[in-house]
Amino acid sequence: MVLVFLPSKRLWSASFDGTSIEDMTITFITGANKGLGRETARRLIECGHTVLVGARNPEQGEEAAAALGARYVPIDVTDDASVAAAAANVAEHEGRIDVLINNAGVHGPVGDPSDLTAADARAVLDVNVIGVVRTTAAFLPLLRRSDDPVIVNVSSGMGSLALTHDAGRPESHVIAPLYTSSKAALTMLTTQYAKGLKGIRVNAADPGYTATDLNGHSGPQSVTEGTDAIVALATEQPGAGTGRFVSRHGEIAWS
């Protein structure tokens, strides 16, 4: 398998050459107001995608969309009504999506798990796993209107049993019980969607240790490096594989 990581290009929009929205790739990204989601949006717009910035906070969502040249769609992935309203909004304005990027995520408690509570677990899983199920279910009818529908789930090597047990990897030195558990669940969910959703490519991306709000900007990678795998999966040609776990260095094992 060969993944092509696209270099930055000048901003391109339909207004430059009269291209209609019917001819463009329409991409919806959750949690797109900052961090990996925002950088993914920026890069995909540069690639010619029509990007819909999904975000829970209206002020941050509107600001990001205006700065990027995208359209803001309110969505709280933990709320059934909000997700349904977002899908209805897109159905009314664009009529379909070609790519769904489930990027919204939270980290949860770090360190000694002695004091973890059910409420802690519910809060993390409701965004990182249940939120993906909720959003995917609502947007499937819009994806099925695409000629080449794609789902990219933003997972993490922190959910890999192999990587978190490899002393040479940074993933093995972090104790984040709920985040790691949720990402392990998300990677398995991805494989099940890939097997069960016929005609839709479903893959997971591992951004790697990237400097974002989730880790206090401690990661050594830039957000641009962290979005390499996401952008690659979102811009593959029809017929590319499904059920894969991909980092910026290539495909990695499901373990």
Side-chain angles (χ1 to χ4, degrees):
M1 180 194 68
V2 176
L3 290 171
V4 178
F5 298 107
L6 298 170
S8 294
K9 297 181 287 186
R10 186 170 64 89
L11 181 65
W12 184 95
S13 77
S15 62
F16 290 169
D17 62 3
T19 302
S20 70
I21 196 168
E22 288 78 12
D23 300 320
M24 297 179 70
T25 300
I26 302 171
T27 300
F28 187 91
I29 308 172
T30 65
N33 58 292
K34 63 180 181 178
L36 293 171
R38 181 169 179 147
E39 179 65 3
T40 299
R42 183 191 69 79
R43 293 182 68 183
L44 290 179
I45 289 168
E46 289 188 342
C47 292
H49 286 217
T50 294
V51 172
L52 307 176
V53 168
R56 179 176 57 181
N57 183 291
E59 291 77 18
Q60 293 178 11
E62 291 283 10
E63 182 279 325
L68 293 168
R71 188 172 81 81
Y72 168 58
V73 179
I75 186 169
D76 178 348
V77 301
T78 68
D79 183 88
D80 288 343
S82 174
V83 173
N89 179 308
V90 176
E92 178 182 357
H93 289 87
E94 286 78 23
R96 75 170 201 281
I97 61 170
D98 302 290
V99 182
L100 171 64
I101 300 178
N102 287 306
N103 168 74
V106 295
H107 200 279
V110 178
D112 185 351
S114 301
D115 296 325
L116 287 180
T117 66
D120 292 332
R122 189 178 300 112
V124 173
L125 294 171
D126 201 18
V127 177
N128 295 2
V129 182
I130 300 171
V132 172
V133 174
R134 191 179 279 120
T135 303
T136 301
F139 280 82
L140 273 176
L142 295 167
L143 280 164
R144 288 186 167 125
R145 297 176 187 174
S146 171
D147 292 333
D148 182 37
V150 173
I151 298 173
V152 180
N153 293 328
V154 180
S155 189
S156 172
M158 291 289 292
S160 164
L161 296 177
L163 297 186
T164 54
H165 285 80
D166 181 346
R169 297 280 306 203
E171 292 91 345
S172 69
H173 304 293
V174 178
I175 300 175
L178 299 178
Y179 181 78
T180 54
S181 299
S182 71
K183 293 304 184 180
L186 180 57
T187 53
M188 179 58 77
L189 182 66
T190 300
T191 67
Q192 295 298 296
Y193 275 144
K195 291 178 180 180
L197 294 177
K198 303 305 180 185
I200 301 177
R201 296 203 308 277
V202 188
N203 295 294
D206 171 20
Y209 192 11
T210 303
T212 67
D213 287 352
L214 277 176
N215 55 41
H217 295 270
S218 62
Q221 288 186 164
S222 69
V223 288
T224 300
E225 292 171 321
T227 57
D228 278 347
I230 305 169
V231 171
L233 289 170
T235 55
E236 288 181 312
Q237 295 301 307
T242 191
R244 293 169 294 150
F245 190 19
V246 175
S247 77
R248 68 188 299 258
H249 303 294
E251 190 167 343
I252 54 181
W254 288 107
S255 60

